[in-house]
Amino acid sequence: MFGDLFEEDFSFISNNHCGKGKKSKPRESEPPAPRDSTNLSGIKNQGGTCYLNSLLQTLLFTPEFREALFSLGPEELGTLDDSRKPDAKVRIIPLQLQRLFAQLLLLDQQAASTTDLTESFGWSSHEEMRQHDVQELNRILFSALETSLVGTSGHDLINRLYHGIVVNQIVCKECKNVSERQEDFLDLTVAVKGVAGLEEALWNMYVEEEYFENDNLYRCGACDKLVEASKSAKLRKLPPFLTISLLRFNFDFEKCERYKETSCYTFPIQINLRPFCEQTEMDDSEYMYELFSVIIHKGGCYGGHYHVYIRDVDQLGNWQLQEEEDGLIEDKALRDTENSKETENPLAVLKGILSEEEAKQIPVDQLGQKLLEKKGVSWNKKYRKQYGALRKYLQNHPQIFQLSPDGNKVGLKETHKLLFKLDSGGRDLQSPPQKNDVQWNCEKTPPRPRATSAGCHWFDLNDSKVQPIKEKDLEKQFQGKESAYMLFYRKAQLKRPPEARGNPRYQIPEHLLNEMNAANTELQKKRAECDSASNGIDLHLHLSSCYKFHNGALHPSLSWKESVVDLTIDRRRTLGDLRQAVFQMLESWEGDMVLSMAKPLPAGLHLYQVLDGDELTLDGIGLADGADVFVWNGKEVGGTKVLTGPDHEPVVLNVLRLAEHNEGGKGQHFSEAQHVFSCSTSLGQLHSALAPAGGIILKNGSGAEGEAKNWEVFREEDMKETVRSVGLRDGCSVLILDSHDQSFVNVASGNLTAFTYDISWLQVKNFCGVEEEEKLVKITATIETVMSDIKMKAIRELQLEEELANESCLRPVSGNGKLLSPVPEDYTVKEAELKMGSLLGLCRGKAPASTQLFLYFMVGSDQNCSPEMEIVVEETASVRECLNLMLEKSGLSGDNWHLRRLDWCYEAGEALSQENATLKELNVCRGDTLVVTEGKLPEKGFLKIPIWWLRPSSHKKHGENAQDQVNGVTWKMDALQVSAAAAPPEPTHPGLDLCYAGRIEIAGEASLEDLKMQSVVPWHLCHGHCVKALHGKHTHNKHLLKSHFAISTLFLYQFSASFFFF
């Protein structure tokens, strides 16, 4: 059941220990949490190892076992560093157990890992996920240790501590002969069913006698006959530590199923075993035992969860009485509810399970397993009927549970995890008190403050979680789904030395002490690094000596790098600490030092509130990571007074003025400049600054990302408003119209609107493949702005070389990112049919003139096989000339090609049959896509027709004539349509008895008789068939072929040596 648990197979051993031979493992993002207020360490659950954790904690808190194990040194056990040496004798299991015990006693972490220990067992990850029986594990682990310790001074460790003897006696009633059989035991198994408690079960086993009488007689060896006799059992030898396993699981033979006994079964804290022993003449102290560990099983017979109540014999933990009311009342209520109610709300159960998980999310299947362990019953059995499937239930509560995108993992949303922990414990369990009374690196541990109660105290060790409990809480484990499963007693005579009390370092070997000290030092270092990383903030200090104030904002007089000093500081430090740190950095600073919050704006650096209150923490005053702080005297910078605060934020406005219109020139020109004003500036002040000679101001409220709006005039009554109150922000534009420009303004519906020039923006992105390729700029334009002007403005804004103007063009970008045909540079925005706000690409290549066409073309209609290419041709070029240019660019030759338009299905459509016609005459437009198609078009007045032969059907029905068969296949004609531009189809068509005969070229004015003769005669010569004339033989093909798409398909149908066309 436990795989290779006790074979000393070195291939499974991990070298992941402190010191040499350290095995590298992925470093976790954060170091393990320190111990909580109990000062005891839990053990991590590897998925299903709660039974192992409970047993290991029991052995750890058995001081005599722990010290006997520690007494075995490297000279007897070897070392883990030698485990890879082929000739070395290394006893892996006791070495890993020693190391785990040292970690649990000394390593300052909330929970230790048993990975190395289980690897020494030879367990796979699958084995770690399976839950086993703790009683069986106890026996097998003891057997493994005995085997591993053969040949050492600890060879009798298990027998010395746990071995006892039971003697079974049968006494003959006639000759009084006594027949006895002796049995060794390491643990006693006692019945639970039908028994009130442990004392009654021991009485039934070792006091009550069984009688052989009537039909059930005993054959006496001395009398050599069947006689009456009595049978009894006694404890002959008592071990120092008595392990008792309770038979909680039984089998119901009527229902043929296992079940768990949940009835009341009491056990005492102290027990006198004298009545059950063979020898009773010794002192009572020889028979007195004290309970020190109770392994508890919670669940049913097919699964559940183990944890352990342990009495802290050496008083290693901190047991605090004030937690009694805070932490345990809720646990009591939960236990009582779980044991008394058969059904309950699953929401709280699932939240409780997920809140205990260290990982943010666990697999849904693992959640179901943990529910089974916690409640002793599966989801399907207890909740599915009322609440549906588990995964569906989780999906129906998205406000609480967070599922992964594939729905296979689930976790609690952070807010609910925190709330649940606060509610369940009365305090924030995620932030336990940083209390650590053990001086880990000292040679001797000073005494710690103890609780006021005398005697040893009990703790509940539940995997990683450790919490104090009261002794009377043991009574709750007498019965119910959560009840005692194994009991561990120690002789009352066993007394601990005073130096062991409260001293976790007692009897630990020196090499393990050194290893744990080094590990604790490393842990503290990692925690300090993590703490610094999580609480450290980077501040950007701007020094006033490196700045000057102009145009409404602060600007560095040197480069940005030289004007800013970066400082990293703990957010929990005070403002006074920050000020002192700045003073130390700036040794030459003289006079007062004022620290102000700063923020980079489009206009420059602006200052806000002064940081005040040296006793306040940086986090408390709102200093965040990456904050900008300005260091100055609080009055002026470079002799200029600086206004601070949000009421004086500088705003960058784009100021547009209409330029003089050049006579005969195309398009409307205007000048553009940027001005900075305080947001508290009134419109009257703005008007005086921008239009001192008079005129009107219009605004367009769209900023850098806004959409264009109508231009609105600021009226006389608006002049008292401020820049901020009228909605002017960074990037907004204002238009200044002088008196001679005001003819463009009209009053409409009480609102003044400038409508003649709809000034807005076009976006231009650099696609030239040079530096700053991804940069995008906005260019102010009107519908009358010429494209060449827009291109030049974009080149300047993108800071490109102006020589690029002769080698580039502007191309609109479609919604899916495709570059469309270039816009002629002499077009206006209106002529180019561009919408304001459109995105243009600045691309290499000259733009076509207004008399040229920019065309796309491909060879064949399959876009996957032939990439789309581009070409610029004159609109007066003929179809043949255009075709030759396309063939030349695609590297093709020959005259067996023609051009077709691309239809709406992105397939080759109408052929450009008039090869001498110009592209303009055929209405070929800029941006059209043409297809270069293989095959020569028929001459003018001729048609090229594909011919199919429908062969006789082998499935002719009785009484079916030829016409019926013809009618029966007409519904299949859609599948036989073949474009004249397409490649030749397959010679045969599976399932339709069709055979492709080829294409013929015939005049459009030819009769059906001519078509018949031209189609059938070659076929007749090949196959030797005769031909029957069609009705209406003088009908012209031109009219007949118009009946089915642009090009018809003719079929020859053979039946009884005749052909029919349809």
Side-chain angles (χ1 to χ4, degrees):
M1 179 166 108
F2 293 95
D4 301 327
L5 176 56
F6 307 115
E7 296 181 11
E8 296 275 353
D9 186 353
F10 301 148
S11 64
F12 292 102
I13 305 311
S14 165
N15 287 327
N16 184 25
H17 59 278
C18 302
K20 298 180 180 179
K22 192 171 185 179
K23 182 179 177 181
S24 61
K25 290 190 176 182
R27 180 179 293 181
E28 299 179 355
S29 58
E30 294 183 1
R35 302 185 180 217
D36 59 17
S37 59
T38 64
N39 208 34
L40 298 179
S41 177
I43 301 178
K44 296 177 183 177
N45 192 327
Q46 296 187 52
T49 57
C50 54
Y51 64 100
L52 174 66
N53 297 347
S54 300
L55 182 59
L56 290 174
Q57 293 282 22
T58 298
L59 295 177
L60 174 70
F61 283 89
T62 306
E64 291 77 7
F65 176 88
R66 180 180 74 228
E67 292 163 7
L69 185 65
F70 281 144
S71 68
L72 304 173
E75 64 279 358
E76 293 188 273
L77 302 180
T79 64
L80 292 174
D81 293 333
D82 297 334
S83 61
R84 297 296 179 183
K85 297 180 180 179
D87 300 330
K89 177 60 177 176
V90 181
R91 304 171 190 271
I92 304 296
I93 293 179
L95 281 174
Q96 290 290 6
L97 200 56
Q98 278 186 346
R99 186 164 169 269
L100 176 64
F101 282 0
Q103 290 175 346
L104 290 171
L105 290 170
L106 298 178
L107 201 57
D108 184 19
Q109 58 182 8
Q110 186 179 10
S113 172
T114 57
T115 302
D116 290 335
L117 180 64
T118 54
E119 284 180 359
S120 73
F121 295 165
W123 284 5
S124 63
S125 58
H126 174 70
E127 189 72 28
E128 292 162 356
M129 294 298 293
R130 294 177 56 195
Q131 188 181 94
H132 300 297
D133 185 76
V134 69
Q135 297 174 359
E136 184 176 359
L137 175 67
N138 182 57
R139 299 185 186 110
I140 299 176
L141 181 59
F142 281 178
S143 176
L145 280 172
E146 281 187 314
T147 303
S148 186
L149 295 177
V150 170
T152 70
S153 59
H155 66 279
D156 61 343
L157 169 63
I158 302 301
N159 279 336
R160 190 168 71 245
L161 297 180
Y162 298 95
H163 176 258
I165 298 176
V166 172
V167 60
N168 295 288
Q169 296 180 340
I170 299 179
V171 179
C172 176
K173 292 287 188 180
E174 295 188 8
C175 67
K176 307 301 180 182
N177 179 59
V178 178
S179 175
E180 67 177 33
R181 179 170 54 87
Q182 186 172 285
E183 295 180 2
D184 299 324
F185 71 87
L186 296 178
D187 65 279
L188 297 177
T189 302
V190 298
V192 174
K193 183 180 180 181
V195 181
L198 178 61
E199 290 98 329
E200 183 180 345
L202 292 175
W203 184 275
N204 293 340
M205 293 172 63
Y206 302 117
V207 176
E208 293 287 345
E209 293 185 346
E210 179 184 354
Y211 295 99
F212 297 95
E213 55 187 6
N214 300 328
D215 295 335
N216 182 27
L217 297 176
Y218 168 73
R219 177 170 290 278
C220 177
C223 300
D224 194 21
K225 65 178 180 179
L226 295 173
V227 297
E228 292 184 350
S230 62
K231 179 182 178 182
S232 62
K234 292 289 183 181
L235 296 172
R236 174 166 288 179
K237 176 192 173 186
L238 293 175
F241 296 91
L242 180 62
T243 303
I244 299 177
S245 299
L246 307 183
L247 284 176
R248 285 282 183 186
F249 300 116
N250 284 313
F251 189 83
D252 189 329
F253 289 94
E254 293 184 359
K255 297 182 179 180
C256 289
E257 65 180 13
R258 295 179 68 203
Y259 69 95
K260 179 180 178 180
E261 285 285 351
T262 58
S263 57
C264 183
Y265 188 90
T266 62
F267 48 87
I269 300 297
Q270 290 186 333
I271 186 171
N272 189 336
L273 297 181
R274 181 194 293 273
F276 317 116
C277 293
E278 182 182 33
Q279 300 174 3
T280 59
E281 65 278 5
M282 294 183 294
D283 187 75
D284 269 354
S285 61
E286 295 289 338
Y287 305 100
M288 292 300 298
Y289 280 78
E290 296 175 343
L291 183 68
F292 76 97
S293 177
V294 180
I295 293 182
I296 299 158
H297 181 264
K298 183 178 183 179
C301 57
Y302 296 106
H305 177 67
Y306 291 95
H307 62 109
V308 61
Y309 286 178
I310 289 180
R311 184 163 65 95
D312 185 9
V313 176
D314 278 349
Q315 302 183 35
L316 301 177
N318 288 332
W319 191 90
Q320 298 173 341
L321 288 176
Q322 59 265 30
E323 291 189 17
E324 174 183 341
E325 297 299 328
D326 295 335
L328 299 179
I329 293 178
E330 182 71 13
D331 290 341
K332 177 181 183 301
L334 287 175
R335 283 197 194 92
D336 294 344
T337 303
E338 290 167 358
N339 289 333
S340 62
K341 291 185 178 180
E342 288 298 322
T343 61
E344 60 187 339
N345 182 7
L347 196 60
V349 179
L350 296 177
K351 286 170 65 176
I353 294 173
L354 291 174
S355 68
E356 296 175 359
E357 291 298 315
E358 295 180 359
K360 290 185 177 180
Q361 289 189 328
I362 63 172
V364 175
D365 296 337
Q366 187 176 336
L367 176 61
Q369 175 64 26
K370 289 184 177 293
L371 174 68
L372 179 64
E373 293 175 1
K374 187 177 182 69
K375 306 303 296 178
V377 63
S378 67
W379 173 274
N380 289 341
K381 190 171 182 180
K382 187 167 186 177
Y383 300 111
R384 185 182 180 96
K385 185 175 181 181
Q386 183 176 358
Y387 299 99
L390 175 58
R391 199 181 304 271
K392 188 71 174 177
Y393 183 81
L394 297 173
Q395 292 172 348
N396 290 338
H397 294 81
Q399 71 278 12
I400 298 175
F401 304 108
Q402 185 169 4
L403 286 163
S404 62
D406 57 4
N408 292 330
K409 289 187 175 182
V410 65
L412 268 184
K413 289 198 171 178
E414 289 300 325
T415 53
H416 284 273
K417 178 177 285 191
L418 181 60
L419 287 174
F420 185 89
K421 291 191 174 187
L422 285 169
D423 291 344
S424 62
R427 60 184 177 90
D428 188 354
L429 298 182
Q430 291 180 329
S431 302
Q434 301 297 316
K435 183 169 182 178
N436 188 1
D437 293 327
V438 177
Q439 304 298 319
W440 302 108
N441 295 311
C442 295
E443 290 300 323
K444 186 174 181 181
T445 304
R448 294 187 303 273
R450 307 300 308 164
T452 55
S453 301
C456 302
H457 295 292
W458 288 81
F459 292 89
D460 177 11
L461 292 95
N462 190 347
D463 289 337
S464 300
K465 185 178 180 181
V466 181
Q467 62 181 10
I469 59 171
K470 295 199 308 182
E471 188 176 278
K472 66 179 182 181
D473 289 327
L474 295 171
E475 299 174 4
K476 302 170 187 174
Q477 310 305 329
F478 287 167
Q479 63 184 347
K481 290 181 179 179
E482 182 180 5
S483 50
Y485 190 60
M486 288 187 74
L487 307 175
F488 296 83
Y489 286 87
R490 58 182 288 124
K491 269 194 174 183
Q493 282 186 335
L494 296 174
K495 302 299 182 182
R496 298 293 296 148
E499 58 268 23
R501 179 169 297 180
N503 183 10
R505 306 170 64 88
Y506 183 70
Q507 296 293 331
I508 297 181
E510 190 67 24
H511 70 281
L512 286 175
L513 288 175
N514 296 334
E515 182 180 331
M516 294 303 111
N517 285 339
N520 276 318
T521 301
E522 184 66 21
L523 270 177
Q524 291 171 5
K525 179 181 177 182
K526 288 183 178 180
R527 288 191 183 117
E529 292 174 353
C530 182
D531 183 73
S532 176
S534 60
N535 290 293
I537 55 175
D538 293 327
L539 302 180
H540 307 305
L541 303 179
H542 301 262
L543 309 180
S544 62
S545 59
C546 301
Y547 276 82
K548 56 184 178 180
F549 186 85
H550 69 88
N551 205 15
L554 291 165
H555 299 272
S557 53
L558 305 173
S559 66
W560 179 271
K561 185 176 181 181
E562 295 174 310
S563 304
V564 178
V565 178
D566 290 333
L567 173 66
T568 301
I569 190 169
D570 195 308
R571 68 174 75 242
R572 296 167 296 187
R573 301 282 292 275
T574 65
L575 181 59
D577 296 331
L578 173 61
R579 198 183 305 277
Q580 186 64 31
V582 176
F583 265 120
Q584 293 176 359
M585 293 176 62
L586 307 176
E587 296 178 356
S588 60
W589 186 274
E590 295 181 0
D592 294 336
M593 176 183 288
V594 176
L595 304 179
S596 295
M597 292 290 291
K599 181 179 179 182
L601 298 175
L605 193 70
H606 183 65
L607 305 185
Y608 292 86
Q609 76 271 18
V610 173
L611 299 177
D612 197 12
D614 283 3
E615 73 284 356
L616 300 177
T617 64
L618 301 182
D619 193 39
I621 62 176
L623 269 182
D625 188 37
D628 293 277
V629 177
F630 194 74
V631 183
W632 62 317
N633 59 15
K635 299 176 183 178
E636 48 81 24
V637 174
T640 305
K641 184 179 180 181
V642 178
L643 298 178
T644 64
D647 293 335
H648 299 284
E649 280 186 0
V651 177
V652 179
L653 299 179
N654 294 322
V655 180
L656 307 177
R657 298 178 187 273
L658 294 180
E660 292 186 4
H661 182 62
N662 294 327
E663 228 176 282
K666 192 174 183 181
Q668 178 65 49
H669 298 270
F670 53 87
S671 62
E672 181 178 358
Q674 288 189 338
H675 292 264
V676 178
F677 295 93
S678 170
C679 65
S680 59
T681 302
S682 68
L683 291 185
Q685 294 170 326
L686 184 71
H687 184 277
S688 299
L690 297 179
I696 60 174
I697 301 179
L698 302 91
K699 76 162 183 176
N700 187 309
S702 58
E705 302 295 332
E707 297 181 356
K709 302 177 182 178
N710 288 334
W711 290 84
E712 299 179 1
V713 176
F714 288 127
R715 293 167 293 188
E716 187 65 32
E717 54 268 29
D718 296 330
M719 291 299 126
K720 294 182 181 181
E721 298 288 339
T722 64
V723 169
R724 171 175 288 174
S725 65
V726 296
L728 289 176
R729 299 290 183 265
D730 285 313
C732 288
S733 294
V734 293
L735 176 62
I736 308 300
L737 292 181
D738 296 329
S739 57
H740 65 277
D741 296 322
Q742 296 182 24
S743 58
F744 300 136
V745 179
N746 183 44
V747 179
S749 303
N751 187 28
L752 296 173
T753 306
F755 60 88
T756 304
Y757 296 96
D758 185 13
I759 302 175
S760 189
W761 294 272
L762 292 173
Q763 304 176 86
V764 180
K765 188 174 184 180
N766 183 14
F767 283 96
C768 287
V770 294
E771 294 183 0
E772 301 184 14
E773 184 176 350
E774 296 299 324
K775 189 173 180 182
L776 184 145
V777 295
K778 291 196 173 186
I779 305 299
T780 308
T782 73
I783 59 175
E784 296 297 329
T785 304
V786 182
M787 299 304 299
S788 59
D789 292 343
I790 295 176
K791 184 176 74 171
M792 289 305 301
K793 284 185 178 181
I795 291 175
R796 295 191 192 101
E797 289 289 333
L798 292 169
Q799 298 180 357
L800 304 175
E801 297 180 1
E802 295 199 5
E803 288 78 6
L804 190 63
N806 298 325
E807 302 173 1
S808 60
C809 60
L810 291 176
R811 300 180 61 174
V813 182
S814 66
N816 57 10
K818 179 181 177 182
L819 287 171
L820 304 180
S821 60
V823 181
E825 293 194 355
D826 55 352
Y827 275 24
T828 64
V829 173
K830 182 177 181 181
E831 290 171 338
E833 299 180 355
L834 294 176
K835 293 182 178 179
M836 287 302 175
S838 298
L839 176 61
L840 300 174
L842 180 65
C843 307
R844 290 194 176 274
K846 292 187 177 181
S850 57
T851 60
Q852 291 178 317
L853 294 177
F854 178 90
L855 302 176
Y856 301 96
F857 73 95
M858 65 178 69
V859 179
S861 58
D862 189 351
Q863 299 185 38
N864 296 323
C865 299
S866 174
E868 193 175 68
M869 290 176 278
E870 303 168 350
I871 193 171
V872 177
V873 296
E874 296 290 336
E875 62 181 6
T876 57
S878 67
V879 173
R880 169 52 59 183
E881 291 171 343
C882 181
L883 174 61
N884 291 336
L885 290 173
M886 291 179 177
L887 291 174
E888 181 182 353
K889 187 163 186 177
S890 56
L892 301 174
S893 61
D895 58 355
N896 192 32
W897 302 91
H898 65 277
L899 287 178
R900 293 182 174 272
R901 299 180 191 270
L902 193 70
D903 65 12
W904 63 276
C905 293
Y906 294 94
E907 296 179 351
E910 176 190 358
L912 301 181
S913 57
Q914 302 177 41
E915 293 190 344
N916 294 324
T918 65
L919 298 176
K920 185 175 182 179
E921 291 172 348
L922 296 178
N923 292 325
V924 177
C925 302
R926 174 166 57 93
D928 284 354
T929 302
L930 300 180
V931 182
V932 179
T933 308
E934 189 173 8
K936 193 171 183 179
L937 286 174
E939 298 180 6
K940 186 176 181 180
F942 282 79
L943 302 172
K944 185 174 285 189
I945 306 171
I947 304 297
W948 290 79
W949 177 52
L950 181 62
R951 293 175 292 191
S953 175
S954 59
H955 305 288
K956 180 182 176 183
K957 298 180 181 178
H958 178 71
E960 185 178 35
N961 56 29
Q963 187 61 42
D964 293 335
Q965 291 193 29
V966 171
N967 295 336
V969 297
T970 56
W971 63 275
K972 302 177 181 178
M973 290 179 63
D974 287 341
L976 307 176
Q977 299 306 316
V978 179
S979 169
E986 295 294 330
T988 60
H989 197 288
L992 294 179
D993 292 330
L994 289 175
C995 180
Y996 178 66
R999 289 186 175 95
I1000 65 170
E1001 191 173 311
I1002 191 169
E1005 299 298 326
S1007 65
L1008 286 177
E1009 184 70 22
D1010 298 331
L1011 176 61
K1012 179 188 70 175
M1013 293 305 297
Q1014 192 169 340
S1015 304
V1016 177
V1017 170
W1019 195 261
H1020 172 66
L1021 294 176
C1022 293
H1023 298 277
H1025 297 297
C1026 57
V1027 179
K1028 181 175 180 180
L1030 281 157
H1031 294 291
K1033 61 185 178 180
H1034 297 296
T1035 304
H1036 292 295
N1037 290 328
K1038 182 170 65 176
H1039 304 295
L1040 172 68
L1041 299 179
K1042 288 181 179 178
S1043 64
H1044 206 67
F1045 291 93
I1047 298 178
S1048 297
T1049 301
L1050 296 179
F1051 295 89
L1052 305 178
Y1053 178 75
Q1054 181 196 14
F1055 182 76
S1056 300
S1058 298
F1059 288 88
F1060 292 83
F1061 290 74
F1062 68 97

